[in-house]
Amino acid sequence: MLTQFRLLVALAGCFGLAGSALATDFPISITAARIGLPAANAPIGSESGSITRFANWAPVYLDLDVTAAINEAAELVIEAPDPDEITTILRVPLNLAGQTGRVATETVGSIGYVRPAGVGEVLLTIRARDGGKALSEPFRVRSLRPRPPLSYVVLTLGAAIPGFDLPRPQGSPNDATNLRGGRIELARMTELAELPDQWFGYETADLIVLNTGTGSEAFLQGLFGEGSSAVQQAKRNALLEWVRRGGRLVISVGNNAKLVSGLPALQEVLPYSVNRSNPSRAVTALSLYWSAREASQTSTDSGSLAAKGSTFPAANLVAEPKRPARVLIPPADRKSEVGDVVAAQMAFGIGRITVIGFDLDRAPFTDFAKRPEFWDWILREGGANRASGGGEGKPLAPTSVPTEEEDELAVALRTHIDTFEGLPVISFGWVAMLIALYILIIGPIEYYFLKRILGRLEWTWITFPIIVLTVSLAAYFTAYSIKGRSLRINKIDVVDVDPASGRLYGTTLFTIFSPRIENYTLTVTPSTEWTPDEDPAGTVISWVGAARGGRASLLRRRYEYHSDERGMADGLRNVPIQVWSTKSFVANWSAPIAPTA
């Protein structure tokens, strides 16, 4: 018995050594993963403190332990299910040459992206480029829980902004983390490396606040300085492209007005630029007037922003002759009282940029009695009205999933493109009746025929396959006669024209009806009647669908996003669509306007 015990111990040791050897075969170990925008109320670097939203692209950050030099090109492979439970694959190049020890992927200029379809699993693997060998074990993220489509996310760039608050209904708890019944959430990015390098990486955010105040000097220099690296310039371009495509950006300038005045790349996107010769002024008080929330259009809210026994810096904002902008504060009817411009706004592409001439992260604004009302105004004027409209009467449950609420227009569009004229939809009543008839045929009717009429029950070995084959062929040819043999596509194009920049911004929604089991490769390019660019860069295409569980199918069906040096996720390869089934997609693109004759 002792000998057998020693043998078992020896075998266990051998297997343990073998397991250890196998575990160290990979030169890279993924130690942590964070998906989404970092939540403002979570510790920096927290794995669970990130914000994602259904059907919105979100950045992926990895912490790696590189134990051996990587001498080959590597890539991050991101696998996540779509609403039809088909696995999607996105490949992101990684620059790991010469990297050893602890490495964060964002610090080497490589950020991946994922589009959550629901509560599900994301699989992350590092492999050699172009489908080569695995360089790490798969890392599974099982805690991904995207927010509903109607949630509203405010993202702060630069130093964190304390004291964000909104007006609350009478009797509601004074909880800074429970804004609008949990419908408004705050995110932050205080490190430049965290910023996405693709414009759609900001898709989760509804409003971005760029804080130029205390602690943001290095952040601003890296993002907008003339000495910015190529990686930093890519991050700047991604942010501005997000605004051009409909994003909303608010920039506060106060204490660092002199720094901002010396950043041409930032100055040229401000509605009112900062006076270069006299960037700021010291004031004892600012009289603020802004449109009230729940009143007629002519009513205003107001307050005196004053420092206690001292002065505070305010930016000297000046108009640019060739830059159309409107003054928000003071309003036209109060200009004689206030004089200096405090806030201004302009269109930027089909988005908008708002500049505010004082700091939102320091006194006296953090002590301002009407700070919640002013933040509410910022969300309405700088962001979207829906951020201030609803949610107070119906709090959002913490455990809710994206299936609870969807935008009515999005649901209507999805229903419209999924309806094909002349293609009948068989009702459930007919299907249930045919199933019941089939059960009757292969059950009681066949038994009665063989038992009572022929008296040969053993013939069921012949009649049963004949019935099954006959019904299957009848169903097949009937479906073909009803559904047809033609590939069909429903498509809606929404095109915004921006004459100021000479560009088009398009959104294309389309649904494919497949008459057979087929894999499709999809790209979207604008018509040459719209643009001279036959292959515009910056196109992004992905799935459309209702929020579901989001788990990958057991059948392991999958398709890939196409990515190259021109862009990421600009096409789809080998998308499986079953016979007589539909699948919906959306593409966002931008291109120069075709010159008129």
Side-chain angles (χ1 to χ4, degrees):
M1 181 66 68
L2 182 60
T3 303
Q4 292 176 346
F5 176 75
R6 290 174 177 173
L7 179 60
L8 289 174
V9 171
L11 288 174
C14 291
F15 282 118
L17 290 174
S20 300
L22 290 174
T24 57
D25 282 345
F26 296 106
I28 301 174
S29 174
I30 302 176
T31 58
R34 302 176 302 282
I35 298 179
L37 305 179
N41 57 355
I44 296 177
S46 170
E47 295 182 39
S48 59
S50 297
I51 299 173
T52 60
R53 189 165 56 190
F54 167 74
N56 288 167
W57 289 95
V60 178
Y61 307 99
L62 300 183
D63 292 337
L64 309 178
D65 186 8
V66 183
T67 58
I70 307 299
N71 299 319
E72 52 193 329
E75 64 184 9
L76 168 63
V77 181
I78 303 172
E79 301 180 50
D82 71 4
D84 297 320
E85 300 181 346
I86 304 175
T87 300
T88 66
I89 301 174
L90 178 67
R91 302 179 185 273
V92 181
L94 288 180
N95 182 20
L96 296 177
Q99 301 288 338
T100 55
R102 301 285 183 177
V103 177
T105 52
E106 61 267 26
T107 63
V108 296
S110 300
I111 296 179
Y113 302 91
V114 68
R115 199 162 186 255
V119 180
E121 181 179 270
V122 178
L123 187 65
L124 307 167
T125 312
I126 297 176
R127 309 186 68 91
R129 188 79 57 84
D130 299 325
K133 66 179 182 179
L135 300 177
S136 75
E137 287 187 307
F139 187 93
R140 301 179 186 275
V141 179
R142 296 185 172 92
S143 58
L144 190 64
R145 181 176 287 274
R147 272 57 168 184
L150 294 185
S151 60
Y152 193 96
V153 179
V154 180
L155 170 63
T156 300
L157 302 183
I161 294 182
F164 183 96
D165 202 358
L166 295 171
R168 301 174 186 276
Q170 187 174 5
S172 63
N174 187 19
D175 182 1
T177 63
N178 187 26
L179 301 168
R180 297 278 190 262
R183 294 171 181 271
I184 294 182
E185 299 199 50
L186 306 180
R188 67 177 178 197
M189 288 183 173
T190 57
E191 300 294 333
L192 189 58
E194 294 179 309
L195 269 61
D197 53 7
Q198 301 287 340
W199 68 267
F200 55 85
Y202 292 102
E203 196 174 24
T204 304
D206 294 281
L207 172 66
I208 294 180
V209 179
L210 177 60
N211 180 19
T212 68
T214 307
S216 299
E217 294 85 352
F219 188 95
L220 291 174
Q221 286 284 7
L223 189 59
F224 292 100
E226 295 181 351
S228 301
S229 66
V231 172
Q232 293 169 337
Q233 291 178 20
K235 295 177 181 295
R236 178 206 308 167
N237 294 336
L239 173 62
L240 297 180
E241 183 65 16
W242 173 79
V243 181
R244 289 189 185 96
R245 295 184 183 235
R248 309 297 174 90
L249 175 64
V250 172
I251 305 173
S252 71
V253 184
N255 186 55
N256 278 335
K258 183 177 180 180
L259 172 64
V260 172
S261 68
L263 298 174
L266 180 54
Q267 282 273 70
E268 67 184 17
V269 300
L270 294 178
Y272 269 49
S273 63
V274 178
N275 192 315
R276 292 168 178 79
S277 59
N278 185 22
S280 65
R281 63 189 189 279
V283 297
T284 57
L286 285 177
S287 296
L288 303 181
Y289 296 89
W290 63 91
S291 58
R293 179 184 174 203
E294 296 176 351
S296 64
Q297 295 181 353
T298 58
S299 67
T300 58
D301 209 338
S302 63
S304 178
L305 185 65
K308 296 179 180 179
S310 62
T311 61
F312 64 94
N316 282 324
L317 301 177
V318 294
E320 293 289 341
K322 297 183 179 180
R323 194 176 302 170
R326 67 187 182 108
V327 176
L328 301 179
I329 300 177
D333 59 340
R334 301 282 185 173
K335 188 172 182 180
S336 59
E337 300 177 31
V338 180
D340 295 315
V341 175
V342 177
Q345 187 180 87
M346 73 173 184
F348 193 76
I350 60 174
R352 67 173 67 156
I353 296 178
T354 306
V355 62
I356 297 175
F358 57 86
D359 291 317
L360 299 174
D361 66 333
R362 54 186 291 172
F365 182 73
T366 52
D367 302 322
F368 188 35
K370 291 195 173 183
R371 186 181 70 252
E373 287 78 8
F374 193 81
W375 272 118
D376 181 73
W377 173 80
I378 290 177
L379 262 63
R380 283 185 287 114
E381 285 293 335
N385 284 329
R386 71 180 181 87
S388 296
E392 293 130 45
K394 182 184 176 184
L396 189 65
T399 57
S400 65
V401 294
T403 54
E404 290 189 354
E405 293 181 314
E406 284 192 87
D407 185 84
E408 293 181 0
L409 179 59
V411 174
L413 283 174
R414 192 170 66 239
T415 303
H416 178 74
I417 62 174
D418 200 37
T419 303
F420 289 82
E421 185 177 353
L423 195 65
V425 177
I426 308 300
S427 67
F428 176 76
W430 277 102
V431 174
M433 186 184 71
L434 292 174
I435 291 175
L437 180 61
Y438 177 64
I439 293 173
L440 286 174
I441 292 174
I442 64 174
I445 294 178
E446 185 198 26
Y447 176 81
Y448 181 82
F449 179 75
L450 295 178
K451 177 71 175 179
R452 300 297 183 185
I453 298 178
L454 298 182
R456 305 293 296 270
L457 277 177
E458 65 274 14
W459 283 13
T460 189
W461 294 100
I462 300 174
T463 57
F464 184 82
I466 292 175
I467 293 172
V468 172
L469 182 61
T470 302
V471 171
S472 299
L473 290 174
Y476 179 81
F477 287 108
T478 301
Y480 252 125
S481 64
I482 295 176
K483 300 289 187 180
R485 299 170 181 250
S486 301
L487 176 69
R488 302 191 184 193
I489 299 178
N490 274 348
K491 182 169 71 75
I492 296 176
D493 289 302
V494 180
V495 181
D496 292 285
V497 181
D498 180 26
S501 63
R503 294 196 68 82
L504 300 169
Y505 300 92
T507 300
T508 300
L509 295 117
F510 62 100
T511 297
I512 295 176
F513 169 79
S514 179
R516 57 187 177 274
I517 300 176
E518 188 63 271
N519 292 341
Y520 296 90
T521 295
L522 308 175
T523 58
V524 173
T525 55
S527 169
T528 54
E529 296 178 357
W530 292 349
T531 175
D533 192 346
E534 297 182 358
D535 185 20
T539 298
V540 175
I541 182 172
S542 190
W543 47 262
V544 170
R548 296 183 183 176
R551 301 187 182 279
S553 171
L554 295 176
L555 300 178
R556 306 299 295 172
R557 294 181 297 160
R558 58 183 59 204
Y559 58 93
E560 291 194 22
Y561 291 98
H562 173 264
S563 300
D564 59 19
E565 65 279 356
R566 286 176 57 85
M568 187 176 295
D570 57 355
L572 296 172
R573 296 187 293 192
N574 300 321
V575 181
I577 304 179
Q578 298 304 302
V579 61
W580 304 314
S581 297
T582 61
K583 193 169 181 63
S584 300
F585 306 90
V586 61
N588 298 98
W589 52 268
S590 175
I593 301 174
T596 57

